[in-house]
Amino acid sequence: MSSNGRGQWQSRFGFIAAAAGSAIGLGNIWRFPYITGVYGGGAFVLLYLIILLFFGIPILNSELLLGRKSQKNAVGAFRTLAPGTPWSIVGWMGVAAAFIILAFYSVVAGWAVAYIFKVGAYMAQGANHADLFVGHITSTAAPLIWHAVFMAMTIGIVMLGVEKGIERYSKSLMPVLVGIMIVLIVRSITLPGATAGLEFYLKPDFSKITGEAILAALGQVFFSLSLGMGCMITYGSYLSKKEDIPMNSIYIAGADTLIALLAGFAIFPAVFAFGMEPAAGPGLTFITVPAVFNAMGPVGIFFGILFFLLLTIAALTSAISLLEVVTAYFIDEAKWDRKKAAVIIGIIIFLLGIFPSLGYSVLSHVNIIGPRDILDSYDFLASNILLPLGGMLMAIFIGWFWGVDKAIEEANEGAGSYKLGSLYAFVIKYIAPIGIFIVFLNSIGILKF
Ligand code: PFF
């Protein structure tokens, strides 16, 4: 515990592991491949990487430094740095986004938990994996129960707190995850017909770059790096002045991007080899991965179970960061104790997740945003609207209100030879706010490209 009693990361590796644990999750292994498939493959990957460099990494630095400077949660950070101004609304938006994201995140994570137990039988049946997946999500009780199980695990860990809970559970996952991804990739790219998938994934077809694809890529970068909602502000608030923020940002973004890119290499070759549909949507990972492991013979079942176990743990380290954003707010501002905050908020989020969970069964006729089903609507509202909006406002806050010089000074305290400088200042003042604003104008139809 640090002197202010809020808790602090116990080691440098503990922080990187926890922040990377927040970033790496369903966003990399479930969402990245499926969104890449929907928006046409290679061109989307390129867009993703460009947005990562120009928007993702600078905003990741920004959130970490705001957290460390203020030593506060998402709302408290703005209250401390800009007292008496409406800037705390940005923190509030973040807390709202955390509620919405965790509600559907837990539902998808629940599918992964269910698959730990079901995938062996599914593979033994050797039936059509698309039908099996649809069968699972369209049943009423099972997805709801697994959603409850996943939320209960998340609440349990957040109750334990920063050092005992979050840090300990984040440490050893990554190397194992990379290992199993490599097994998947080797099997996937050696399937007959796999090269068409590599081509889809790596060769950009520039006609696929539409305004909608750009918004989707922006949303994916924010979602994947846990940005735009104060999660990295909250994690930064447990960071000591000795830590190197600019370098840590590179490590976190690098690890996150590596896992996402590996997931694509595992999925797309197999999708084409098996004659599946790359734009299949949210089921893509759940359908493709068991099919790839099936092609390995009996050991495949072992790997299949291990994969969904690891996916669940990866989802858990992200879910705890989502719950932590809201919990930290109630601990700091409303003076609730950690256990009470985690349980009450966790239950509310579980309830909010009942709707997307039933969205493929009894509520399958409900569409909220356009043709989107409930889960997709929650996701769109949070990831493509609230997160980029939050990121845009944070950039404006630093660039035009609080002061980019102060930000650079804070970030560079504890930094090694790689420091933030004029490029960061230019991106935060101009590129990020204007760029995100233009993407929004385009998506509401005011500007067309
Ligand atoms: N970054 C997580 C993932 O890729 O799965 C999801 C997430 C966690 C988003 C925390 C936002 C957040 F604040």
Side-chain angles (χ1 to χ4, degrees):
M1 279 278 165
S2 66
S3 51
N4 58 12
R6 297 178 74 251
Q8 208 171 60
W9 306 113
Q10 294 304 294
S11 68
R12 144 167 286 185
F13 184 66
F15 163 71
I16 298 178
S22 166
I24 297 166
L26 295 172
N28 309 59
I29 298 167
W30 163 73
R31 203 174 185 281
F32 178 78
Y34 114 64
I35 300 281
T36 301
V38 169
Y39 289 100
F44 183 87
V45 177
L46 196 64
L47 271 180
Y48 181 87
L49 294 174
I50 293 170
I51 293 175
L52 174 79
L53 284 180
F54 285 97
F55 298 75
I57 295 175
I59 291 178
L60 176 56
N61 273 292
S62 304
E63 286 205 27
L64 292 176
L65 72 88
L66 287 175
R68 189 171 72 177
K69 178 78 189 173
S70 64
Q71 297 283 302
K72 287 279 164 36
N73 61 82
V75 178
F78 290 97
R79 277 212 188 121
T80 307
L81 300 176
T85 67
W87 280 104
S88 54
I89 293 171
V90 182
W92 278 109
M93 275 173 36
V95 173
F99 267 96
I100 301 170
I101 294 179
L102 187 51
F104 79 82
Y105 202 85
S106 171
V107 172
V108 178
W111 301 345
V113 186
Y115 262 62
I116 299 173
F117 301 98
K118 290 189 167 183
V119 76
Y122 282 178
M123 287 166 67
Q125 281 172 29
N128 181 325
H129 286 285
D131 292 347
L132 293 168
F133 174 73
V134 171
H136 176 70
I137 64 167
T138 54
S139 56
T140 314
L144 206 53
I145 292 168
W146 293 115
H147 161 51
V149 169
F150 185 81
M151 267 321 290
M153 294 194 288
T154 307
I155 293 169
I157 298 176
V158 172
M159 276 168 62
L160 294 174
V162 172
E163 305 92 343
K164 287 205 240 42
I166 299 170
E167 189 167 336
R168 184 187 303 168
Y169 284 86
S170 304
K171 273 187 184 165
S172 44
L173 172 73
M174 264 262 301
V176 193
L177 193 62
V178 171
I180 188 129
M181 299 291 279
I182 288 171
V183 172
L184 254 182
I185 291 170
V186 170
R187 182 60 277 204
S188 183
I189 60 178
T190 52
L191 289 165
T195 34
L198 285 175
E199 204 164 291
F200 173 83
Y201 187 44
L202 297 178
K203 210 165 134 199
D205 169 359
F206 291 103
S207 69
K208 298 273 171 58
I209 299 188
T210 59
E212 204 190 322
I214 298 175
L215 179 68
L218 191 65
Q220 178 60 29
V221 167
F222 275 84
F223 187 89
S224 193
L225 287 177
S226 309
L227 294 180
M229 48 162 278
C231 175
M232 291 298 175
I233 294 183
T234 307
Y235 272 26
S237 76
Y238 307 123
L239 203 53
S240 91
K241 296 281 184 197
K242 293 198 293 285
E243 295 297 339
D244 182 341
I245 289 182
M247 213 51 219
N248 274 327
S249 298
I250 302 275
Y251 290 145
I252 297 163
D256 187 68
T257 307
L258 176 75
I259 301 284
L261 293 176
L262 289 180
F265 278 110
I267 303 266
F268 289 110
V271 165
F272 282 77
F274 294 134
M276 295 168 172
E277 175 53 56
L284 192 67
T285 296
F286 289 87
I287 298 166
T288 314
V289 167
V292 178
F293 284 134
N294 235 356
M296 294 175 73
V299 284
I301 295 189
F302 165 76
F303 283 123
I305 294 169
L306 188 62
F307 174 85
F308 286 104
L309 184 65
L310 289 169
L311 184 58
T312 299
I313 302 172
L316 203 51
T317 55
S318 302
I320 56 189
S321 74
L322 284 157
L323 186 55
E324 178 66 17
V325 170
V326 194
T327 304
Y329 168 75
F330 280 93
I331 295 172
D332 288 352
E333 309 290 317
K335 307 286 173 235
W336 285 11
D337 75 48
R338 175 170 281 281
K339 290 198 170 62
K340 171 176 159 187
V343 172
I344 293 180
I345 292 152
I347 290 174
I348 296 173
I349 291 173
F350 165 73
L351 296 174
L352 199 63
I354 291 179
F355 305 100
S357 178
L358 296 179
Y360 299 98
S361 52
V362 290
L363 297 178
S364 62
H365 56 286
V366 180
N367 305 103
I368 307 180
I369 303 177
R372 294 181 170 83
D373 61 43
I374 304 178
L375 194 146
D376 202 15
S377 300
Y378 276 39
D379 188 354
F380 182 83
L381 172 64
S383 314
N384 290 14
I385 308 291
L386 291 177
L387 300 188
L389 192 60
M392 183 178 92
L393 293 173
M394 285 177 202
I396 295 173
F397 174 77
I398 292 182
W400 299 94
F401 186 83
W402 186 55
V404 79
D405 297 338
K406 281 192 231 165
I408 291 176
E409 194 187 314
E410 174 64 35
N412 287 345
E413 192 175 341
S417 54
Y418 166 61
K419 291 188 166 60
L420 298 190
S422 51
L423 183 62
Y424 168 81
F426 186 71
V427 167
I428 287 299
K429 279 185 94 136
Y430 303 103
I431 309 268
I434 296 171
I436 297 173
F437 189 64
I438 290 175
V439 176
F440 276 141
L441 286 186
N442 172 68
S443 68
I444 52 176
I446 291 181
L447 201 114
K448 266 283 156 247
F449 52 80

